[in-house]
Amino acid sequence: MTDNDAFIAGLPKAELHMHIEGSLEPEMMFALAKRNRVSIPFASVEDVRAAYSFSNLQDFLDIYYQGADVLRTEEDFRDLAMAYFARAASDTVRHAEIFFDPQIHTARGIPFGVAAEGLLAGMAEAERAYGVTSKLILSFLRHLPEEDAFETLKAAEPWLGKFVAVGLDSSELGHPPEKFARVFAAAAERGLKRVAHAGEEGPPAYVIEALDLLHIDRLDHGNRSLEDEALTARLVNEAMTLTVCPLSNIKLCVVDSAANHPIARMLRLGLRATVNSDDPAYFGGYVNDNYKAVAGLLSREDMVALARNSFLGSFLTDAEVAQRLAEVEAYAAKFRRR
């Protein structure tokens, strides 16, 4: 273990961009397929991992939706959540705000409540077991019509008090944020925060739409914002948090290598960037792996800034944020004295 690896391992942090279905490891996929007697198009764990070679976002999504088919019962979703939080706790994640894609499951005939109750049970159990707090984000699939998103919001009504925000994910190109302006307004009326994937494969214009039409509280990805100087300056001025996912960016060919990742430039420009794992089972690493992937571009103070930003960009209360920031500063201070 390098000095940087050891520093990252102990650094308190939050994770703000993680799709719970994307934490389904091949071993669990096979276990759940057996438990639920579901056929999957892979002969072995090795076959699954061999299939994780993507040239773009859609390549990934095709296999992602296949894998989710093994999730059938509340127990499955609880186990999925617990497995993620066990890993997050080992990465010194103190708080996580996770995405949940209900349309993947309701389209397969799985009632909204089965997935929601299972995840919420796992989140509560994980807080007791590992001390990791968490919040749940209801994410809409942007390749589906907005009417489908409205139906999902309606189905979620008995549980809306358990969600902190709505999000927008899936295929970005050809599905601009403006497509979902009405359902995001409806979510805001119900007291939910708003976040959206924009500027991953889509152009800077999609980020502007997310800001102006969806009125987002946090920007997921946002890499391509850097192509527009005025937009970048606006994001800095508005202290908009960007939930950046290095290994995802590399795996999906958003950037060509870790050496060319823009995370260091984002920090130099004053952007409130964070590091997250996105879909860790598919992209080769959890949050600490993502820190390590770009550690060669960063100083330790940069890493502290990323951890600090992760709490500042969270939907924790001001008092909770202050407590977590104090933990980050205390940890960093120990290393500054060495």
Side-chain angles (χ1 to χ4, degrees):
M1 179 181 288
T2 69
D3 288 346
N4 272 342
D5 288 352
F7 182 79
I8 291 165
L11 180 64
K13 57 187 74 72
E15 176 149 45
L16 306 180
H17 187 150
M18 203 291 300
H19 301 266
I20 192 62
E21 294 89 351
S23 67
L24 179 63
E25 292 286 348
E27 292 82 1
M28 179 173 279
M29 184 190 299
F30 271 83
L32 295 184
K34 181 178 180 181
R35 183 159 86 187
N36 295 324
R37 299 178 182 177
V38 175
S39 176
I40 56 176
F42 305 105
S44 67
V45 168
E46 291 70 28
D47 284 350
V48 178
R49 294 202 186 280
Y52 291 176
S53 179
F54 315 113
S55 61
N56 56 43
L57 179 60
Q58 192 58 52
D59 283 354
F60 154 67
L61 290 171
D62 290 343
I63 193 170
Y64 174 82
Y65 295 141
Q66 284 182 326
D69 191 43
V70 303
L71 298 162
R72 299 295 180 94
T73 68
E74 285 188 26
E75 182 183 14
D76 296 341
F77 287 94
R78 185 200 69 84
D79 290 351
L80 180 67
M82 282 297 290
Y84 163 70
F85 284 108
R87 186 63 180 263
S90 72
D91 278 357
T92 331
V93 171
R94 304 297 193 214
H95 177 73
E97 295 179 0
I98 62 175
F99 293 109
F100 158 49
D101 287 323
Q103 289 154 292
I104 294 176
H105 312 298
T106 55
R108 300 182 290 115
I110 308 299
F112 187 101
V114 167
E117 290 291 346
L119 291 175
L120 291 166
M123 291 163 66
E125 186 174 345
E127 184 170 357
R128 292 190 295 269
Y130 307 119
V132 180
T133 59
S134 60
K135 296 183 184 294
L136 193 56
I137 299 171
L138 188 165
S139 222
F140 301 124
L141 299 180
R142 69 199 307 154
H143 68 276
L144 298 176
E146 188 183 40
E147 290 73 20
D148 202 295
F150 268 111
E151 291 173 9
T152 300
L153 187 61
K154 182 174 179 58
E157 283 180 355
W159 295 273
L160 280 187
K162 302 293 181 69
F163 289 95
V164 69
V166 294
L168 185 64
D169 59 30
S170 188
S171 312
E172 186 179 7
L173 289 175
H175 303 286
E178 67 176 346
K179 177 180 172 183
F180 295 89
R182 294 183 309 138
V183 75
F184 266 62
E189 290 171 0
R190 288 162 173 76
L192 294 167
K193 301 281 191 181
R194 283 86 61 208
V195 303
H197 288 48
E200 180 185 14
E201 288 191 322
Y206 281 18
V207 176
I208 294 170
E209 286 186 15
L211 294 168
D212 293 340
L213 303 180
L214 303 189
H215 304 288
I216 57 171
D217 298 287
R218 195 162 70 209
L219 172 61
D220 298 316
H221 292 298
N223 298 45
R224 293 193 62 191
S225 303
L226 297 179
E227 297 171 17
D228 185 324
E229 289 185 11
L231 172 58
T232 300
R234 177 182 177 183
L235 293 171
V236 172
N237 291 336
E238 295 181 6
M240 178 61 62
T241 298
L242 278 65
T243 63
V244 183
C245 306
L247 288 176
S248 168
N249 295 159
I250 296 164
K251 194 77 170 179
L252 297 181
C253 307
V254 174
V255 299
D256 59 9
S257 68
N260 290 325
H261 196 277
I263 190 69
R265 183 182 171 207
M266 289 176 172
L267 292 176
R268 302 292 179 270
L269 289 169
L271 288 164
R272 185 184 281 178
T274 64
V275 162
N276 311 270
S277 66
D278 202 356
D279 298 277
Y282 293 86
F283 298 147
Y286 288 76
V287 67
N288 281 3
D289 299 307
N290 279 268
Y291 272 82
K292 292 173 188 176
V294 292
L297 307 174
L298 305 170
S299 68
R300 285 204 177 158
E301 290 302 322
D302 289 333
M303 295 182 207
V304 171
L306 290 167
R308 187 184 299 118
N309 289 346
S310 72
F311 292 114
L312 289 171
S314 74
F315 296 138
L316 291 167
T317 66
D318 289 346
E320 289 167 332
V321 170
Q323 178 185 349
R324 295 306 188 187
L325 290 179
E327 291 179 32
V328 173
E329 296 308 321
Y331 180 79
K334 290 192 300 184
F335 284 85
R336 293 187 189 115
R337 290 195 295 267
R338 292 181 181 179

